[in-house]
Every structure is written in C-alpha cells, then in structure tokens.
C-alpha cells in the first residue's frame, strides 16, 4: 500500500511496534517550513528519547530536538530529522521542499527521492537490516 498521508505513516509505524511521541502544535511554523513537515509532526512528534526502530536503528527526532539543535543543525537549507546508529549519521530534508531528496548528512548521498518516498520505503522495510 502506498503511503500518502501522515496518519498512514503513523499507523504504519504503530503496526511495526514503534513507540511514538504524540503530535505537537506546529502552527507557529506555518510559512517557515514545508507544510508536509508541519502535517507530519502534528500527527506524531518523532520517537521518544533513546528509542530507535529495532529493525533499522533509525530514530525520528522530535521537532523540539530539531529546533534545539540537540542532534542537528541547518546545513545549506537542510535539517537532520532522523538519527542513524546512535549518531553515526543523520538523515536530512530540505526545510522548504518536501519533494527534494532525503540525504545522509555526512556525505550528502541521496537516500530517497522525497520525504514521502522515504516513508514509503521505510514502512516497506527498505532500511531494515537487523
């Protein structure tokens, strides 16, 4: 099934047994970041602290961590939104365009064609290795 909405992403993650933070109010970011990110974080706000997906060692960062720079920084208009292998690398997105590629932070290699493509691949198990 092709994932098309943030609610479908949330349901897919729950079906995988992934723990999620509740959604947060993202209205203050309207006009500052792509609306797709606002919609997603309104539905669920990443994974709880120290909770990684058991199948792929990925942790989707809560938006507060993204903003606080706990694990991330803005690099040429990109934000790290997910942590891989406890900080060995991060997945980044273009803050203004959810149709832009998802890339690794360290070497800028392309991971996925777009934000929603990333979620489709994630839920299909493309990134699972454990």
């Amino acid at each position: 099934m092709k994932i098309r909405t943030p609610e479908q992403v949330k349901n897919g993650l729950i079906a995988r047994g992934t723990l999620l933070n509740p959604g947060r109010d993202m209205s203050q970011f309207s006009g500052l970041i792509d609306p797709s990110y606002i919609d997603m974080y309104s539905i669920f706000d990443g994974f709880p602290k120290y909770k990684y997906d058991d199948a792929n060692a990925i942790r989707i960062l809560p938006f507060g961590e993204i903003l606080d720079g706990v694990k991330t920084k803005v690099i040429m208009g990109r934000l790290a939104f997910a942590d891989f292998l406890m900080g060995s690398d991060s997945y980044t997105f273009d803050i203004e365009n959810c149709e832009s590629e998802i890339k690794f932070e360290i070497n800028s290699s392309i991971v996925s064609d777009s934000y929603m493509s990333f979620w489709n691949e994630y839920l299909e198990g493309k990134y699972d290795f454990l």
Side-chain angles (χ1 to χ4, degrees):
M1 175 175 108
K2 188 157 176 87
I3 303 299
R4 300 186 192 282
T5 68
E7 193 66 42
Q8 289 176 315
V9 172
K10 177 183 175 180
N11 291 338
L13 290 168
I14 290 169
R16 286 173 62 99
T18 307
L19 296 176
L20 303 174
N21 291 323
R24 65 178 283 149
D25 178 11
M26 295 290 291
S27 59
Q28 68 199 47
F29 304 104
S30 182
L32 299 174
I33 62 174
D34 188 289
S36 293
Y37 307 134
I38 291 171
D39 293 345
M40 190 70 72
Y41 280 94
S42 295
I43 297 295
F44 74 95
D45 189 18
F47 298 177
K49 195 168 192 138
Y50 308 117
K51 296 294 181 186
Y52 286 75
D53 187 310
D54 290 337
N56 57 33
I58 294 172
R59 177 174 176 253
I60 305 301
L61 300 174
F63 204 74
E65 284 187 35
I66 292 172
L67 290 178
D68 294 341
V70 171
K71 292 252 180 207
T72 183
K73 56 191 170 287
V74 178
I75 301 172
M76 298 185 64
R78 302 189 69 79
L79 280 176
F81 72 97
D83 189 30
F84 178 64
L85 284 177
M86 300 188 89
S88 66
D89 205 348
S90 297
Y91 295 88
T92 67
F93 59 57
D94 181 316
I95 60 175
E96 296 177 346
N97 183 5
C98 74
E99 295 300 319
S100 183
E101 300 94 356
I102 300 302
K103 297 180 179 181
F104 275 124
E105 182 177 21
I106 291 177
N107 64 10
S108 295
S109 64
I110 296 172
V111 175
S112 188
D113 293 336
S114 69
Y115 190 61
M116 286 312 284
S117 291
F118 169 82
W119 282 115
N120 276 292
E121 295 162 356
Y122 187 105
L123 293 172
E124 290 169 356
K126 177 181 175 181
Y127 308 113
D128 296 355
F129 65 92
L130 300 173

